[in-house]
């Protein structure tokens, strides 16, 4: 395949709006291809395929959301065709809709943000059903009994061995930590209130859990850093916990050229105030800290007005949401591992809290000076569905659009945030970073997020000329173009043409196989035999994800130096 004359933005390779040809052969970008398929992209925007580093797209909590919300399932319905399976849902789409909708946006890769090891089989069953895109899943470790015991005993070697085993057992890609210690406390009706609050029965603190898992992550040389959902998420005044957490790990160095910690959906962790009555943004303080510490990255977790479905392994948070909103909810305790919850929500423009939350996400993205430290997400479907990414891009590129939106919101969004005073407007290069190059680098995917020789042949082409369209003024044109890719190319195959899906190949699933010393691995296995005999409701032989559940694996090798 040859893509001719597109206006290319490829930040990793320093291509910033250059008119050029691209060649793809055998699913990879090459110097020059001899194929007969030619795509005329003259006058069009060309970027690598989009990469979503944090979304909830598969697994038990997603399926629970579908069951809880039959009214949501009736939204966004599309009948089956000769090529496509039927699509349902808006905030919690079915598996087929997830693949089709990402592809229509020009996205070719998306990662499930959290799966417990015990329920990873179901996660992979759903990942297998999502067409077109490549994917992976981050494995939950922050409340696992084996982790807590290793931290209590100060046994880093054994902890690293368990993380390696857990990634193998779940066919997971990285270490996810959610409300460390709080999920275990929730099993006894409690929570942790700060990073030095003891976890019941284990005599460890969130500070120790985070530090030990980060050190184990680096000892294993995993491609992605620890992926952290902070304590006290979603509570007024929690920015202090966020900053305290970051300060507590400043001395830990990355084992490779990437961040040492990724803090996810930061919008939910950048709140000031002593309660909801004086709730305010602390995004400038968070962004200021990141501007001084380049070893950390974050994603914005942008709020989208309208219907959403919150789902997280932070069960105490969801309990609070359900009581605050008087909403239906689901709560789940996962044996020896985690807890989780699901609560539907509607974000309102005239709701002062929601209006401030909306502004906070944009503040974080625009006040963080280095675009490589901030990636664009909505924490789908917590902040809103991923299909709204074109709306978020338009807001980042246009101060005029932000002003128009602010005029429709509760006036506290202007009074208790700095958004009205922010003049910055992202350009196309920065958009390519926060939606493609940045997520790929943060995840540790060297073949994604760029169009250099050897990269995956994943390309998105949009019917908009970046040399002629002013995103600040013509923000609706930008939004419309990004919502329907002219072409989406997956591994050298056209899967979307003129905004319609025309091919449905099965993507690959990434997981990490990490090696550790056999002595440490043996100690972990001995512990697990005892735990399964005493506590688990299933046998160890029925626990691990087998190869049959991952039919197109892309295995990344890692391990202790």
């Amino acid at each position: 395949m040859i893509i001719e004359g597109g206006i290319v933005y490829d930040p990793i390779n320093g291509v910033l709006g250059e008119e050029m040809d691209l060649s793809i052969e055998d699913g990879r970008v090459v110097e020059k291809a001899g194929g007969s398929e030619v795509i005329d992209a003259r006058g069009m925007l060309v970027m690598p395929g989009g990469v979503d580093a944090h979304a909830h797209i598969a697994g038990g909590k997603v399926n629970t959301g579908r069951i809880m919300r039959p009214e949501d399932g009736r939204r966004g319905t599309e009948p089956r065709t000769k090529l496509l399976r039927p699509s349902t849902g808006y905030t919690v789409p079915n598996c087929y809709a997830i693949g089709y909708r990402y592809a229509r946006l020009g996205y070719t890769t998306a990662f499930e943000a959290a799966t417990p090891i015990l329920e990873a089989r179901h996660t992979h069953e759903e990942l297998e059903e999502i067409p077109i895109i490549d994917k992976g899943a981050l494995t939950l470790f922050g409340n696992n009994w084996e982790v807590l015991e290793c931290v209590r005993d100060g046994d880093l070697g054994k902890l690293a061995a368990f993380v390696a085993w857990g990634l193998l057992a779940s066919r997971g890609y990285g270490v996810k930590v959610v409300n460390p210690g709080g999920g275990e406390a929730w099993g006894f009706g409690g929570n942790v209130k700060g990073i030095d609050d003891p976890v019941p029965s284990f005599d460890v603190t969130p500070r120790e859990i985070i530090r030990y898992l980060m050190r184990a992550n680096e000892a294993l040389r995993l491609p992605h850093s620890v992926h952290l959902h902070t304590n006290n998420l979603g509570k007024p005044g929690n920015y202090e916990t966020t900053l305290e957490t970051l300060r507590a790990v400043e001395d830990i160095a990355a084992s490779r050229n990437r961040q040492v910690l990724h803090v996810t959906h930061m919008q939910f962790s950048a709140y000031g105030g002593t309660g909801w009555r004086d709730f305010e943004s602390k995004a400038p303080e968070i962004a200021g800290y990141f501007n001084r510490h380049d070893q950390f990255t974050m994603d914005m977790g942008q709020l989208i007005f309208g219907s959403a479905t919150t789902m997280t392994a932070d069960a105490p948070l969801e309990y609070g949401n359900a009581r605050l909103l008087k909403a239906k909810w689901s709560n789940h305790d996962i044996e020896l591992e985690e807890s989780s919850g699901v609560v539907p929500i509607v974000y309102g423009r005239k709701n002062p809290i929601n209006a401030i939350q909306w502004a906070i996400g944009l503040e974080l993205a625009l006040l963080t000076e280095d675009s490589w430290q901030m990636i664009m997400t909505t924490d789908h479907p917590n902040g809103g569905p991923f299909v709204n990414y074109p709306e978020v891009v338009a807001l980042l590129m246009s101060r005029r659009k932000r002003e128009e939106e602010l005029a429709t919101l509760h006036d506290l969004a202007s009074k208790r945030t700095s958004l009205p005073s922010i003049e910055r407007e992202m350009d196309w290069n920065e958009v390519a970073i926060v939606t493609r190059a940045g997520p790929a680098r943060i995840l540790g995917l060297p073949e994604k997020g760029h169009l250099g020789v050897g990269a995956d042949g994943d390309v998105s082409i949009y019917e908009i000329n970046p040399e002629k369209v002013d995103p600040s003024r013509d923000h609706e044109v930008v939004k419309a173009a990004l919502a329907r890719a002219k072409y989406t190319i997956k591994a050298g195959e056209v899967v979307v043409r003129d905004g319609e899906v025309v091919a449905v190949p099965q993507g690959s699933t990434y997981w990490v196989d990490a090696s550790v010393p056999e002595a440490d691995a043996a100690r972990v296995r001995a512990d697990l035999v005892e735990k399964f005999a005493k506590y688990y409701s299933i046998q160890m032989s029925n626990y691990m994800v087998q190869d049959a559940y991952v039919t197109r694996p892309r295995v990344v090798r890692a391990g202790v130096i």
Side-chain angles (χ1 to χ4, degrees):
M1 175 185 291
I2 300 173
I3 302 169
E4 291 187 338
I7 301 170
V8 178
Y9 282 86
D10 180 10
I12 287 178
N13 293 299
V15 180
L16 312 179
E18 180 181 341
E19 186 176 316
M20 59 187 294
D21 297 345
L22 295 171
S23 297
I24 303 173
E25 190 171 282
D26 296 328
R28 296 276 182 170
V29 178
V30 296
E31 286 280 2
K32 190 171 184 178
S36 60
E37 185 174 7
V38 177
I39 292 177
D40 183 358
R42 285 172 292 186
M44 298 184 196
L45 171 66
V46 178
M47 296 191 288
V51 179
D52 195 347
H54 183 100
H56 299 280
I57 56 175
K61 62 187 180 303
V62 179
N63 217 27
T64 297
R66 296 185 184 115
I67 294 168
M68 286 177 65
R69 303 206 61 186
E71 76 283 2
D72 185 82
R74 298 185 185 100
R75 301 182 63 186
T77 56
E78 300 173 61
R80 71 177 297 164
T81 69
K82 291 182 179 180
L83 177 66
L84 307 182
R85 304 288 292 272
S87 295
T88 63
Y90 171 60
T91 70
V92 275
N94 68 1
C95 295
Y96 316 114
I98 289 171
Y100 304 154
R101 292 173 190 176
Y102 267 121
R104 287 175 185 140
L105 294 176
Y107 274 69
T108 55
T109 307
F111 272 64
E112 162 56 43
T115 185
I117 307 173
L118 181 64
E119 299 181 350
R121 284 189 180 188
H122 179 67
T123 299
H124 282 286
E125 286 174 330
E126 293 201 352
L127 290 177
E128 287 282 300
E129 289 298 310
I130 297 175
I132 304 174
I133 62 173
D134 293 334
K135 50 259 175 182
L138 303 178
T139 305
L140 289 159
F141 286 98
N143 292 281
N144 191 291
W145 281 20
E146 186 72 12
V147 169
L148 299 180
E149 290 175 359
C150 289
V151 172
R152 179 196 62 200
D153 298 339
D155 196 333
L156 183 61
K158 189 176 178 183
L159 176 61
F162 177 71
V163 169
W165 183 88
L167 292 175
L168 174 65
S170 63
R171 296 302 192 266
Y173 184 78
V175 175
K176 177 65 178 294
V177 181
V178 173
N179 187 18
E184 173 58 24
W186 182 246
F188 300 92
N191 195 5
V192 292
K193 298 178 180 178
I195 67 171
D196 293 311
D197 207 21
V199 180
S201 304
F202 285 94
D203 194 29
V204 299
T205 65
R207 180 193 299 267
E208 293 169 324
I209 296 168
I210 296 166
R211 285 185 59 85
Y212 266 87
L213 281 170
M214 288 177 63
R215 291 171 60 196
N217 195 93
E218 299 311 313
L220 290 168
R221 296 182 63 80
L222 300 183
H224 182 41
S225 66
V226 164
H227 197 100
L228 176 66
H229 161 133
T230 61
N231 299 108
N232 287 328
L233 185 134
K235 298 179 181 179
N238 65 9
Y239 85 102
E240 294 179 345
T241 301
T242 303
L243 292 176
E244 188 178 6
T245 301
L246 293 168
R247 295 187 189 109
V249 299
E250 286 179 357
D251 62 312
I252 299 178
S255 61
R256 54 181 59 199
N257 186 27
R258 57 146 167 77
Q259 76 287 345
V260 71
L261 179 68
H262 179 78
V263 184
T264 194
H265 40 64
M266 185 64 88
Q267 179 271 128
F268 292 106
S269 299
Y271 297 167
T274 60
W276 295 116
R277 290 185 180 275
D278 60 353
F279 175 66
E280 62 179 348
S281 168
K282 289 295 182 179
E285 286 78 0
I286 297 292
Y289 181 90
F290 273 71
N291 292 337
R292 300 187 300 273
H293 298 84
D294 61 4
Q295 71 267 45
F296 302 122
T297 58
M298 59 177 157
D299 59 85
M300 59 195 294
Q302 178 61 32
L303 182 144
I304 299 294
F305 294 114
S307 182
T309 302
T310 63
M311 53 180 65
T312 175
D314 192 340
L317 167 67
E318 291 292 40
Y319 174 81
N321 285 342
R323 292 298 177 265
L324 179 67
L325 302 170
K326 296 180 172 58
K328 60 183 176 181
W329 66 303
S330 169
N331 201 234
H332 186 35
D333 184 61
I334 302 162
E335 306 167 22
L336 282 72
E337 296 184 17
E338 295 289 338
S339 59
S340 63
V342 180
V343 178
I345 193 171
V346 175
Y347 297 119
R349 291 175 173 273
K350 295 300 183 180
N351 181 310
I353 295 170
N354 297 160
I356 293 170
Q357 289 175 309
W358 173 87
I360 289 173
L362 297 171
E363 284 181 287
L364 288 166
L366 295 166
L367 292 174
T368 302
E369 296 168 359
D370 185 354
S371 296
W372 293 96
Q373 287 183 270
M374 163 61 72
I375 59 178
M376 190 189 80
T377 66
T378 59
D379 186 20
H380 166 89
N382 286 280
F386 67 82
V387 291
N388 294 286
Y389 283 173
E391 167 78 3
V392 182
V393 172
L395 287 164
L396 294 174
M397 299 189 81
S398 174
R399 185 181 185 186
R400 181 179 301 186
K401 178 172 175 60
R402 297 195 295 269
E403 291 171 345
E404 291 173 0
E405 292 294 318
L406 278 168
T408 70
L409 307 185
H410 195 286
D411 60 4
L412 286 183
S414 296
K415 294 178 180 179
R416 295 187 183 178
T417 78
S418 66
L419 188 62
S421 65
I422 298 176
E423 297 182 359
R424 180 183 176 187
E425 296 176 318
M426 286 191 177
D427 58 26
W428 285 112
N429 182 59
E430 291 171 314
V431 168
I433 292 172
V434 300
T435 60
R436 287 150 166 84
R441 177 178 289 183
I442 286 168
L443 285 170
L445 301 172
E447 67 277 21
K448 297 288 187 182
H450 72 103
L451 298 171
V453 172
D456 280 356
D458 295 355
V459 186
S460 47
I461 304 173
Y462 300 99
E463 199 165 16
I464 185 172
N465 190 326
E467 296 175 350
K468 295 181 179 180
V469 172
D470 178 5
S472 179
R473 184 186 68 247
D474 303 323
H475 50 80
E476 290 304 314
V477 175
V478 169
K479 179 179 174 180
L482 297 184
R484 288 173 58 86
K486 178 70 174 178
Y487 296 95
T488 301
I489 298 161
K490 180 73 189 70
E493 179 180 6
V494 174
V495 294
V496 169
R497 181 182 290 111
D498 295 323
E500 298 299 329
V501 177
V502 296
V504 287
Q506 184 181 3
S508 300
T509 298
Y510 283 87
W511 66 275
V512 172
D513 186 8
S515 61
V516 296
E518 174 56 28
D520 290 333
R523 291 193 294 144
V524 168
R525 288 195 297 270
D527 273 8
L528 293 173
V529 168
E530 180 181 0
K531 283 186 172 59
F532 274 90
K534 286 185 175 181
Y535 305 116
Y536 272 105
S537 64
I538 68 169
Q539 295 183 17
M540 191 171 174
S541 58
N542 295 325
Y543 183 78
M544 297 182 72
V545 174
Q546 298 160 334
D547 288 336
Y549 287 82
V550 187
T551 58
R552 289 177 56 87
R554 291 182 78 164
V555 184
V556 179
R557 307 295 177 184
V560 174
I561 301 173

